[in-house]
Amino acid sequence: MSRLPVADRRTVRRALRDMISRHRRAVGVVLALHSAAAVVGLAPPWLLGTIVDRVTAGAGVATVDRLALAIAGCVLVSALLSRYAQYAGHRFGERAVAELREEFVSRTLGLPVSVVERAGSGDLATRSSVDVSTVGTTVRDVVPTIVIATVQLTLLFGAVFLLHPLLGLAALAGLPSIVAVTRWYLRRASSAYLTEGAAAAELTETLTTTAEGARTVEALRLADDRIKHGTTRITMVWRARRATLALRTVFFSVVEASYPLPVAMVLLVGGYLFSRDMVSLGAVVAAALYLQQAIDPMDRLLQWTEQAQRGFASYARLLGVGMVPPEPAGTTASSRGERLVVRGARFSYSDGPDVLHGIDLEVQPGERLAVVGPSGAGKSTLARLLAGIDAPRHGVVSIGGCPVTDLDPAERRRRIALVTQEHHVFIGSVRDNLSFAAPDASDEQMRAALLTVGAEWFAELPDDLDTQLGDGARQLGAAEAQQLALARLVLADPHTLILDEATAALDPSTARRTERALAAVLVGRTVIAIAHRLNTAHDADRVAVLADGRITEIGSHDELVAAGGAYAALWHSWHTRADER
């Protein structure tokens, strides 16, 4: 499996700057409000120190009451400013996250199908769920918290320096150990969290493929092998998370041990300065309170630094999706004619051996061609080349004299449709599921398409086209889902259809009825059917036999049976089994 790329740190930083630039007004409001709240929050410790000095000088209750009332007012104003700052921050965060999700969906939909298939569903699923959620939390909560905590700490330590420079220097006693352990942590955290994300993607891929192929696993008695494979992936996730936990354990332990040092040093230095009449007792009290007040933003800053590393790694994975070159726009908008021609086509996956060896094939407009052969012969690979999903390593696949991959993608999809035995039911109504193929189709056309493919179950739906499908709603069986996919095909109305075992999930009788129903719709269209039921080949104009990546026989059903070659053997074997059933 070839995972999707991951953006480097420079790309992530540039994307963050761009995000802040797009929302600079909102960011400015948030910073202004939090800065104002932090400035007002400096007043209570200073006022409390003033109370100590005034009482020491013999001031009365009235003075204390006035200063206490001022403290209460400052606390209230600071709370109100913080409340509105948090409100503005969350509004900014939600807008930024919404943009992020839309950009990610746009990038994902622009990925070439071949890239998605090579990467595997686990990697993309993890990025679209876990990573998007992590980045959302980071943008909405982490970034504002870090910025705000930094501003608060700057003001608090600045206030201590204003009380007396030596108190300010004493307040820095805990910083060397905090800075050292933070640098140690940041050098290791990014790669550790990227490794954890990759391990989670591998586990998701393993669980997804095992669940999707559960019947095959059971039939081939591969349960123990899949359990072993899954256990290996879980072990990888456990090791990756254990590594990040070890980093957090060291990081937080050193940080927590560093918190008491500044307060202790300020009290020691303050006591010495007070004994020399270099500073008032109120100033020492205020400095200690400032440092005590600094623990909360420092704690938030360092705790959210860990989450920021997660968010940074997840953002790098999301941006990596945009690094994949999009599907080529094509150099030709359209082509003349509908004749599909393959000349000397060779194809291999990645750097592996060729799976197709010099394929030569011509399909005339309106012809029905069946492609048969043993499993692994290259039938589905040939279908992908004909649909333009993959390009041949050597040779050419053209329609109307134009290479298929040179066509504009929208034009190619309009003219050539590939339907496989894999299908998907989207969460939404039946109408939503069908409108993907033809957004302008009327309800009558949608109902007609369902009837065309023999979807008799549609008549039993409680809300007609408004019936909800998917999780928590009406669940479609494999056969029903495949008929829904075929109904999309009818609505899409392409000129050339490539059916890669498109009725494989249907039972033989239903498949036969569906194929007969489709036959009327497919009149005048070019149809290439990858067939595993040979009755499809029997009804085709011509049959191509594929073996070991080569076309070994081609001709009509009767011609190939009379020739007594590989197709004749397949036909007699299949016909005998059908009679026995």
Side-chain angles (χ1 to χ4, degrees):
M1 184 180 66
S2 177
R3 285 198 298 267
L4 295 168
V6 176
D8 58 23
R9 298 182 68 86
R10 179 180 298 177
T11 302
V12 176
R13 286 194 292 267
R14 184 168 59 249
L16 286 172
R17 286 196 299 269
D18 291 342
M19 180 189 298
I20 293 173
S21 177
R22 290 196 301 271
H23 299 277
R24 54 182 176 273
R25 181 176 179 180
V27 172
V29 170
V30 173
L31 289 178
L33 288 172
H34 275 293
S35 297
V39 170
V40 175
L42 294 175
W46 178 79
L47 290 171
L48 186 58
T50 302
I51 290 175
V52 172
D53 288 338
R54 295 287 178 86
V55 170
T56 302
V61 175
T63 300
V64 174
D65 287 344
R66 286 197 303 273
L67 292 173
L69 186 62
I71 291 175
C74 289
V75 170
L76 178 61
V77 172
S78 179
L80 289 173
L81 287 171
S82 296
R83 164 70 178 78
Y84 285 107
Q86 290 176 358
Y87 173 76
H90 278 278
R91 281 180 59 86
F92 153 69
E94 291 299 335
R95 285 197 298 270
V97 171
E99 287 184 3
L100 174 68
R101 292 181 185 275
E102 291 171 0
E103 290 174 2
F104 179 76
V105 170
S106 178
R107 293 191 189 108
T108 301
L109 294 177
L111 290 175
V113 175
S114 57
V115 172
V116 176
E117 291 178 346
R118 283 196 299 270
S121 58
D123 192 13
L124 192 58
T126 303
R127 297 187 192 218
S128 62
S129 56
V130 177
D131 289 328
V132 169
S133 176
T134 300
V135 174
T137 301
T138 302
V139 173
R140 184 176 52 251
D141 300 322
V142 179
V143 173
T145 298
I146 290 177
V147 173
I148 293 158
T150 302
V151 172
Q152 291 175 331
L153 288 172
T154 301
L155 292 173
L156 288 169
F157 278 93
V160 176
F161 269 96
L162 288 176
L163 291 172
H164 197 284
L166 291 179
L167 291 178
L169 291 175
L172 302 179
L175 287 185
S177 57
I178 292 176
V179 170
V181 75
T182 302
R183 287 173 58 85
W184 174 88
Y185 173 76
L186 293 178
R187 283 197 300 268
R188 294 162 175 80
S190 181
S191 60
Y193 283 117
L194 285 174
T195 301
E196 183 179 333
E202 295 275 6
L203 176 60
T204 302
E205 175 72 17
T206 297
L207 296 178
T208 301
T209 54
T210 300
E212 291 176 348
R215 293 184 178 179
T216 303
V217 170
E218 183 178 357
L220 299 179
R221 299 179 181 179
L222 296 175
D224 291 340
D225 179 73
R226 297 309 298 173
I227 290 173
K228 182 179 178 181
H229 189 65
T231 302
T232 301
R233 292 288 181 261
I234 292 172
T235 301
M236 291 172 60
V237 173
W238 177 78
R239 288 175 179 170
R241 291 185 178 174
R242 191 168 181 265
T244 56
L245 178 60
L247 292 176
R248 293 195 296 272
T249 300
V250 174
F251 177 62
F252 287 123
S253 297
V254 175
V255 167
E256 291 291 339
S258 302
Y259 283 160
L261 293 178
V263 177
M265 287 300 297
V266 162
L267 291 177
L268 287 173
V269 173
Y272 174 80
L273 295 175
F274 178 69
S275 67
R276 296 290 191 275
D277 291 328
M278 299 172 64
V279 70
S280 69
L281 180 60
V284 176
V285 171
L289 290 175
Y290 280 139
L291 293 178
Q292 190 65 35
Q293 190 175 333
I295 290 178
D296 178 62
M298 178 69 76
D299 205 37
R300 284 186 283 116
L301 176 64
L302 296 175
Q303 283 185 352
W304 284 108
T305 296
E306 183 268 335
Q307 180 63 34
Q309 290 303 305
R310 288 179 177 271
F312 196 93
S314 292
Y315 199 21
R317 286 166 55 79
L318 295 185
L319 293 175
V321 175
M323 295 169 60
V324 178
E327 190 173 14
T331 58
T332 305
S334 61
S335 64
R336 297 180 179 178
E338 303 293 343
R339 190 166 67 108
L340 199 57
V341 178
V342 184
R343 285 284 180 263
R346 293 179 175 272
F347 181 80
S348 63
Y349 290 99
S350 298
D351 297 326
D354 284 349
V355 294
L356 294 179
H357 308 275
I359 299 294
D360 290 309
L361 181 66
E362 289 189 21
V363 185
Q364 299 299 326
E367 182 180 11
R368 294 174 60 92
L369 174 71
V371 180
V372 302
S375 178
K379 301 187 298 295
S380 294
T381 302
L382 177 59
R384 293 168 61 85
L385 294 188
L386 294 173
I389 294 175
D390 292 316
R393 186 172 61 83
H394 290 299
V396 65
V397 178
S398 63
I399 182 169
C402 173
V404 172
T405 52
D406 284 353
L407 285 174
D408 180 76
E411 172 71 10
R412 183 170 65 242
R413 296 187 187 103
R414 186 186 66 80
R415 298 177 61 178
I416 306 173
L418 171 64
V419 179
T420 69
Q421 56 186 311
E422 298 177 359
H423 45 266
H424 185 75
V425 177
F426 296 92
I427 295 177
S429 66
V430 176
R431 181 183 290 103
D432 294 334
N433 273 267
L434 293 175
S435 63
F436 284 114
D440 298 328
S442 65
D443 288 359
E444 290 72 20
Q445 290 173 319
M446 292 183 180
R447 294 188 186 98
L450 288 167
L451 293 176
T452 297
V453 298
E456 299 172 354
W457 48 269
F458 172 71
E460 302 173 2
L461 296 180
D463 299 317
D464 196 59
L465 291 173
D466 292 319
T467 301
Q468 296 296 308
L469 305 177
D471 293 340
R474 174 73 152 78
Q475 296 287 340
L476 297 184
E480 295 171 333
Q482 201 154 36
Q483 287 175 323
L484 185 65
L486 292 174
R488 292 193 195 110
L489 178 65
V490 173
L491 289 171
D493 194 27
H495 184 276
T496 301
L497 300 173
I498 303 171
L499 307 177
D500 188 359
E501 298 185 352
T503 58
L506 308 180
D507 61 82
S509 60
T510 304
R512 188 63 172 160
R513 289 198 306 271
T514 302
E515 288 165 355
R516 285 173 177 168
L518 277 171
V521 179
L522 302 181
V523 171
R525 291 178 172 82
T526 305
V527 180
I528 298 99
I530 309 299
H532 71 295
R533 294 188 179 106
L534 293 191
N535 58 281
T536 301
H538 178 273
D539 297 338
D541 298 322
R542 285 192 302 159
V543 180
V545 180
L546 202 62
D548 296 326
R550 295 177 174 85
I551 293 179
T552 58
E553 294 180 297
I554 189 166
S556 68
H557 167 79
D558 294 334
E559 290 171 348
L560 295 183
V561 170
Y567 178 78
L570 285 173
W571 173 259
H572 292 307
S573 175
W574 180 83
H575 206 274
T576 300
R577 290 197 304 270
D579 290 341
E580 290 175 351
R581 288 195 296 268

